[in-house]
Amino acid sequence: MDDSVLSSDVAVVLGLIGNIAAPLAAFWAAGKLPRFRLWFHGLAFLAILVSPILAMILSVPEMLVDEEDIPVSRFAFLPLIVEAAIILFLYCLAGAMMLSKSVHSAISSWRGADRYL
């Protein structure tokens, strides 16, 4: 008897598709409303961060105290976890590049104002 909402395969595929769709939707929305681009990408980052946990909650049945877990069910989510980690790493790299660029422009504008250390 399976008490889960989704099967593991369906949850992983939906998670993989959602992890690719979230940044694409954030880029599309940021193109339409550039003022809120950080909010859109923040929501996409959060959605990707939560997606493996949500997929596991929806697809792994509740275990009773005397039941044993099937070892294969733990490895079914490995592609979803790896994809989420890669996309989150790329988001962190993009954020670091954006922060680096803004710090560099702040320093150059400060130096261009004839201020000396």
Side-chain angles (χ1 to χ4, degrees), residues 2-16 52 54-61 72-73 76-77 80:
D2 193 14
D3 295 342
S4 63
V5 177
L6 295 171
S7 69
S8 296
D9 298 334
V10 173
V12 169
V13 169
L14 287 176
L16 292 173
L54 185 63
M56 287 179 200
I57 289 171
L58 290 177
S59 65
V60 176
V72 178
S73 66
F77 299 102
L80 181 60

Side-chain angles (χ1 to χ4, degrees), residues 10-99:
V10 173
V12 169
V13 169
L14 287 176
L16 292 173
I17 292 170
N19 283 348
I20 293 173
L24 291 177
F27 280 113
W28 178 80
K32 297 291 182 185
L33 297 169
R35 184 176 183 184
F36 299 112
R37 72 174 184 252
L38 290 178
W39 284 102
F40 294 133
H41 288 291
L43 288 173
F45 185 88
L46 186 64
I48 294 167
L49 186 65
V50 172
S51 69
I53 298 168
L54 185 63
M56 287 179 200
I57 289 171
L58 290 177
S59 65
V60 176
E62 292 185 26
M63 301 295 288
L64 298 175
V65 178
D66 57 347
E67 285 186 84
E68 289 187 24
D69 189 17
I70 301 170
V72 178
S73 66
R74 293 182 185 152
F75 294 110
F77 299 102
L78 197 57
L80 181 60
I81 293 169
V82 169
E83 182 197 31
I86 291 170
I87 294 173
L88 292 176
F89 178 69
L90 292 175
Y91 256 119
C92 289
L93 282 178
M97 287 174 54
M98 187 177 78
L99 184 63

